Short mmCIF file of all heavy atoms in Angstrom, two decimals:
data_model
loop_
_atom_site.label_atom_id
_atom_site.label_comp_id
_atom_site.label_asym_id
_atom_site.label_seq_id
_atom_site.Cartn_x
_atom_site.Cartn_y
_atom_site.Cartn_z
N ARG X 282 51.37 159.25 48.68
CA ARG X 282 50.13 158.52 48.42
C ARG X 282 49.10 158.73 49.52
O ARG X 282 47.94 158.35 49.38
CB ARG X 282 50.43 157.03 48.27
CG ARG X 282 51.33 156.69 47.10
CD ARG X 282 51.82 155.26 47.14
NE ARG X 282 52.72 155.01 48.26
CZ ARG X 282 53.40 153.88 48.43
NH1 ARG X 282 53.28 152.90 47.56
NH2 ARG X 282 54.21 153.74 49.47
N LYS X 347 40.45 154.30 55.49
CA LYS X 347 39.66 153.78 54.38
C LYS X 347 40.09 152.35 54.08
O LYS X 347 41.28 152.04 54.07
CB LYS X 347 39.86 154.65 53.14
CG LYS X 347 39.04 154.21 51.94
CD LYS X 347 39.30 155.10 50.73
CE LYS X 347 38.53 154.61 49.51
NZ LYS X 347 38.81 155.44 48.31
N PRO X 380 44.06 157.51 52.28
CA PRO X 380 44.82 157.67 51.03
C PRO X 380 44.26 158.78 50.15
O PRO X 380 43.10 159.19 50.30
CB PRO X 380 44.63 156.31 50.37
CG PRO X 380 43.24 155.91 50.79
CD PRO X 380 43.08 156.42 52.20
N LYS X 381 45.07 159.23 49.23
CA LYS X 381 44.59 160.16 48.22
C LYS X 381 43.69 159.42 47.23
O LYS X 381 43.79 158.21 47.06
CB LYS X 381 45.77 160.80 47.48
CG LYS X 381 46.58 161.77 48.32
CD LYS X 381 47.70 162.39 47.52
CE LYS X 381 48.49 163.39 48.36
NZ LYS X 381 49.64 163.96 47.60
N GLU X 382 42.81 160.15 46.59
CA GLU X 382 41.93 159.56 45.59
C GLU X 382 42.76 158.97 44.45
O GLU X 382 43.74 159.57 44.01
CB GLU X 382 40.97 160.61 45.04
CG GLU X 382 39.86 161.00 46.00
CD GLU X 382 38.92 159.85 46.30
OE1 GLU X 382 38.67 159.03 45.39
OE2 GLU X 382 38.44 159.77 47.45
N GLY X 383 42.35 157.80 44.00
CA GLY X 383 43.00 157.19 42.85
C GLY X 383 44.19 156.31 43.17
O GLY X 383 44.76 155.69 42.26
N VAL X 384 44.59 156.24 44.44
CA VAL X 384 45.72 155.37 44.81
C VAL X 384 45.30 153.91 44.68
O VAL X 384 44.25 153.51 45.19
CB VAL X 384 46.19 155.67 46.25
CG1 VAL X 384 47.23 154.65 46.69
CG2 VAL X 384 46.77 157.07 46.34
N LEU X 385 46.10 153.13 43.98
CA LEU X 385 45.78 151.73 43.76
C LEU X 385 45.91 150.93 45.06
O LEU X 385 46.65 151.31 45.97
CB LEU X 385 46.71 151.14 42.69
CG LEU X 385 46.61 151.78 41.30
CD1 LEU X 385 47.63 151.16 40.35
CD2 LEU X 385 45.20 151.65 40.73
N GLN X 386 45.19 149.81 45.12
CA GLN X 386 45.12 149.04 46.37
C GLN X 386 46.49 148.59 46.87
O GLN X 386 46.78 148.66 48.06
CB GLN X 386 44.21 147.83 46.18
CG GLN X 386 42.72 148.16 46.22
CD GLN X 386 41.88 146.92 46.06
OE1 GLN X 386 41.98 146.21 45.06
NE2 GLN X 386 41.04 146.63 47.04
N ASP X 388 49.40 149.94 46.34
CA ASP X 388 50.12 151.10 46.85
C ASP X 388 49.53 151.56 48.18
O ASP X 388 50.26 151.96 49.10
CB ASP X 388 50.06 152.24 45.83
CG ASP X 388 50.92 151.97 44.60
OD1 ASP X 388 51.95 151.30 44.74
OD2 ASP X 388 50.54 152.44 43.51
N HIS X 389 48.22 151.49 48.28
CA HIS X 389 47.53 151.86 49.53
C HIS X 389 47.99 150.94 50.66
O HIS X 389 48.36 151.41 51.75
CB HIS X 389 46.02 151.74 49.30
CG HIS X 389 45.18 152.15 50.46
ND1 HIS X 389 43.81 151.99 50.49
CD2 HIS X 389 45.50 152.71 51.66
CE1 HIS X 389 43.33 152.44 51.63
NE2 HIS X 389 44.33 152.88 52.37
#
Side-chain angles (χ1 to χ4, degrees):
R282 297 169 293 188
K347 182 181 177 182
K381 290 182 179 177
E382 286 295 325
V384 172
L385 298 177
Q386 282 181 301
D388 289 328
H389 183 187

